[in-house]
Amino acid sequence: MSRPISLQVHVSNDLAVRVRAAARRREISVSEWIRSLLAQACDDDDYVSRLEHSVERIARHSVFMMVGVDALLAGHPDHALRERAHQAYARKCRELGLVAGTDEGGEA
């Protein structure tokens, strides 16, 4: 087993008291408690990065679908269908308490 590497951090007296109390409540050393928090923070950071990537991918897919549906509506034989769909969208957004933005398929 390799020797642990020491990291140093400076904290206020109040925070030091809180950290010691938290470790004591868990019946572990301050080092153990801080190690677990650091590992969790690193894992959460990776999770946030993956989540941001997923949200971006979903946003791109949503834009593609929005453009595709709008194109299909624009080319539909019933020329009023596109306008009715935009009106229905705006109405539904109001019902849900959302703002129908013009860049989201709402009325321009």
Side-chain angles (χ1 to χ4, degrees), residues 12-61:
S12 67
N13 286 332
D14 292 341
L15 184 54
V17 169
R18 291 174 59 200
V19 167
R20 288 185 182 110
R24 193 171 31 257
R25 280 192 306 274
R26 289 163 182 81
E27 299 179 352
I28 58 177
S29 69
V30 169
S31 291
E32 250 182 305
W33 188 75
I34 291 173
R35 248 191 322 271
S36 69
L37 289 179
L38 290 173
Q40 181 181 356
C42 290
D43 292 345
D44 288 349
D45 189 47
D46 292 342
Y47 172 75
V48 168
S49 175
R50 288 191 312 272
L51 182 61
E52 287 172 352
H53 176 72
S54 295
V55 168
E56 182 181 327
R57 186 173 45 82
I58 290 168
R60 283 194 312 271
H61 285 266

Side-chain angles (χ1 to χ4, degrees), residues 62-76 78-79 81-87 89 102-108:
S62 295
V63 169
F64 179 79
M65 287 186 295
M66 186 173 53
V67 169
V69 167
D70 197 53
L72 290 171
L73 288 170
H76 194 274
D78 179 355
H79 298 293
L81 180 60
R82 182 172 182 263
E83 182 60 29
R84 289 196 315 270
H86 282 244
Q87 290 169 355
Y89 167 78
T102 57
D103 60 342
E104 295 177 0
E107 294 178 280

Side-chain angles (χ1 to χ4, degrees), residues 88-106:
Y89 167 78
R91 198 170 40 253
K92 191 63 172 176
C93 284
R94 280 193 303 274
E95 288 173 14
L96 296 172
L98 303 171
V99 176
T102 57
D103 60 342
E104 295 177 0

